[in-house]
């Protein structure tokens, strides 16, 4: 039986959004009364505007990162469903400051289709220049794309780092070409892999999205329950890290004396205690490899409703990216003081 704090399943998203706006009126507001179209209250003149969007069920992704030093707007779909092109267009018009708009979104077919259409309509209807960065860094979902190849990887928690770098660059009033370049650079230096222990339940469906044994786990499962690399007996936390982390290090070609940021992400029902336990082993293995940890982020950054599980993300840094990662940010669900 589905057990959730909710009223009617069809009201789950609008009621959640109404509560979100009520909680953060100093940060965000709906666009023209449409709760699914969200923009920042405060605007910075002449700034490149950043927009994202995607299905609900992943808080703090996507709307939680709209605020100072991060994003300017977001379009929200139903649970695990893409927002419409019209909703994304409304957000684009609301946040444009005359310097162009950069879309940053995950590598999912529905999002790609609707965001592409919104960008075309923004150009035709409002003469707004829109560029796009499609984030896809799930190392379990396919090989890393080489030059000229299509990226087949799913977008997961690592999109947070793309938001952070692009947000800091835009906040410095860099031009659209530079913000796009830095966001693309960040997206190419991120790699993620996760492990799931339990399914989640979409309110409108009313039953778990997949089944997994009480003594089983799945390495590489996606944030919508997409198939991972393998399913097998539940391993110890250290053994899970020992399987995932070397794959990420190899994927990014990290070497001794390189610097990386670490993101330990809970998928919705994983206690912080367990996430810090995972982080302990990640740090131990990175130190043994001679890789320096520049910053660590632990918590829920991209969830899947109440799924029990976690993901590990590495972000390969250099001297250009580190100051942007360090920059201040102030959003409803992410805050960082500058160094």
């Amino acid at each position: 039986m589905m057990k959730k704090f909710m009223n009617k399943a069809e009201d789950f998203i609008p009621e959640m959004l109404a509560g979100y706006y009520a909680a953060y009126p100093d940060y965000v507001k709906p666009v023209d009364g449409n709760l699914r179209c969200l923009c920042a209250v405060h605007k910075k003149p002449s700034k490149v505007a950043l927009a994202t969007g995607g299905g609900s069920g992943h808080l703090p992704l996507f709307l939680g990162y709209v605020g100072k030093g991060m994003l300017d707007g977001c379009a929200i779909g139903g649970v695990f469903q893409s927002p419409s092109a019209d909703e994304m267009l409304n957000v684009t018009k609301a946040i444009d400051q005359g310097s162009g708009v950069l879309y940053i979104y995950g590598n999912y077919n529905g999002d790609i289709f609707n965001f592409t259409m919104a960008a075309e309509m923004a150009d035709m209807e409002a003469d707004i220049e829109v560029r796009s960065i499609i984030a896809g860094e799930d190392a379990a979902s396919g090989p890393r794309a080489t030059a000229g190849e299509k990226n087949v990887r799913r977008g997961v928690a690592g999109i947070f780092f793309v938001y952070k770098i692009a947000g800091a660059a835009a906040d410095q009033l860099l031009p659209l070409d530079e913000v796009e370049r830095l966001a693309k650079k960040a997206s190419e230096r991120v790699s993620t892999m996760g492990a799931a222990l339990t399914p989640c339940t979409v309110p409108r469906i009313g039953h778990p999205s997949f089944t997994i044994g009480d003594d089983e786990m799945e390495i590489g499962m996606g944030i919508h329950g997409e198939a991972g690399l393998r399913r097998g007996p539940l391993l110890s936390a250290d053994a899970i890290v020992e399987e995932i982390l070397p794959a990420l290090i190899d994927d990014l070609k990290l070497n001794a004396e390189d610097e990386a940021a670490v993101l330990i992400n809970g998928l919705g029902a994983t206690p912080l205690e367990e996430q810090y336990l995972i982080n302990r082993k990640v740090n131990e293995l990175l130190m043994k490899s001679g890789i320096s940890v520049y910053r660590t982020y632990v918590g829920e950054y991209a969830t899947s409703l109440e799924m029990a599980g976690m993901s590990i993300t590495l972000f390969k840094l250099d001297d250009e990216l580190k100051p942007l990662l360090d920059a201040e940010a102030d959003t409803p669900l992410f805050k960082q003081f500058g160094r």
Side-chain angles (χ1 to χ4, degrees):
M1 182 181 69
M2 178 174 65
K3 296 176 70 176
K4 291 182 180 293
F5 292 107
M6 55 180 274
N7 298 307
K8 295 179 181 179
E10 58 268 29
D11 295 332
F12 185 76
I13 299 308
E15 290 182 350
M16 176 276 291
L17 289 170
Y20 189 83
Y21 288 116
Y24 305 112
D26 294 335
Y27 286 88
V28 294
K29 62 182 180 181
V31 177
D32 296 330
N34 186 341
L35 297 183
R36 290 177 182 255
C37 301
L38 177 146
C39 69
V41 168
H42 302 291
K43 297 181 179 182
K44 194 168 187 176
S46 302
K47 173 185 173 296
V48 170
L50 305 180
T52 192
S56 299
H58 301 303
L59 279 170
L61 203 67
F62 298 89
L63 64 161
Y65 300 124
V66 174
K68 184 181 184 300
M70 293 283 272
L71 304 170
D72 300 284
C74 177
I76 306 299
V79 176
F80 300 172
Q81 297 176 341
S82 300
S84 71
D86 285 335
E87 288 166 342
M88 197 61 216
L89 176 63
N90 290 342
V91 170
T92 305
K93 291 177 177 178
I95 65 175
D96 176 50
Q97 294 291 297
S99 298
V101 176
L102 180 66
Y103 289 169
I104 304 171
Y105 57 94
N107 194 17
Y108 298 96
N109 288 335
D111 292 333
I112 293 171
F113 181 83
N114 289 332
F115 276 69
T116 300
M117 186 180 298
E120 293 172 351
M121 291 190 295
D123 178 44
M124 291 186 295
E125 297 180 17
D127 196 27
I128 299 173
E129 182 177 6
V130 176
R131 309 274 183 88
S132 294
I133 297 293
I134 303 175
E137 89 294 350
D138 186 353
S141 58
R144 180 173 288 276
T146 58
E149 289 185 336
K150 180 182 179 181
N151 182 14
V152 299
R153 291 183 167 183
R154 299 181 292 244
V156 283
I159 197 173
F160 161 78
F161 286 121
V162 186
Y163 292 159
K164 184 67 191 68
I165 296 303
D171 203 47
Q172 293 177 11
L173 300 182
L174 296 181
L176 180 59
D177 285 346
E178 269 297 279
V179 177
E180 179 188 29
R181 180 188 70 82
L182 289 162
K184 186 174 187 295
K185 179 178 179 178
S187 71
E188 292 171 346
R189 287 169 162 255
V190 178
S191 188
T192 300
M193 192 179 296
L197 306 182
T198 70
C200 63
T201 299
V202 175
R204 278 185 175 272
I205 296 175
H207 59 77
S209 54
F210 60 91
T211 59
I212 188 168
D214 291 341
D215 59 348
E216 289 185 315
M217 59 175 289
E218 185 157 343
I219 297 287
M221 179 172 285
I223 57 174
H224 306 105
E226 300 96 335
L229 293 174
R230 69 169 189 84
R231 181 175 291 198
L234 180 62
L235 301 176
S236 69
D238 283 1
I240 294 169
V241 175
E242 287 166 351
E243 180 171 345
I244 290 176
L245 193 66
L248 302 181
I249 292 172
D250 181 66
D251 186 55
L252 291 172
K253 295 181 171 54
L254 283 164
N255 300 306
E257 300 183 5
D258 280 337
E259 290 181 286
V262 174
L263 172 63
I264 309 298
N265 173 62
L267 287 173
T270 300
L272 276 170
E273 287 86 351
E274 295 175 28
Q275 296 177 43
Y276 284 114
L277 191 151
I278 293 289
N279 187 56
R280 160 197 153 273
K281 189 63 177 178
V282 168
N283 270 260
E284 177 187 311
L285 295 183
L286 289 174
M287 287 179 63
K288 285 183 179 179
S289 300
I291 299 166
S292 298
V293 177
Y294 184 74
R295 270 188 181 270
T296 300
Y297 300 84
V298 179
E300 293 185 339
Y301 287 78
T303 63
S304 184
L305 293 172
E306 76 279 13
M307 184 185 290
M310 64 84 203
S311 62
I312 302 169
T313 299
L314 297 183
F315 179 29
K316 186 176 182 179
L317 295 169
D318 63 12
D319 289 342
E320 182 178 42
L321 293 172
K322 286 190 291 186
L324 298 170
L325 184 64
D326 287 340
E328 291 186 5
D330 185 12
T331 79
L333 301 184
F334 175 73
K335 301 179 190 301
Q336 176 173 286
F337 298 104
R339 283 186 169 178

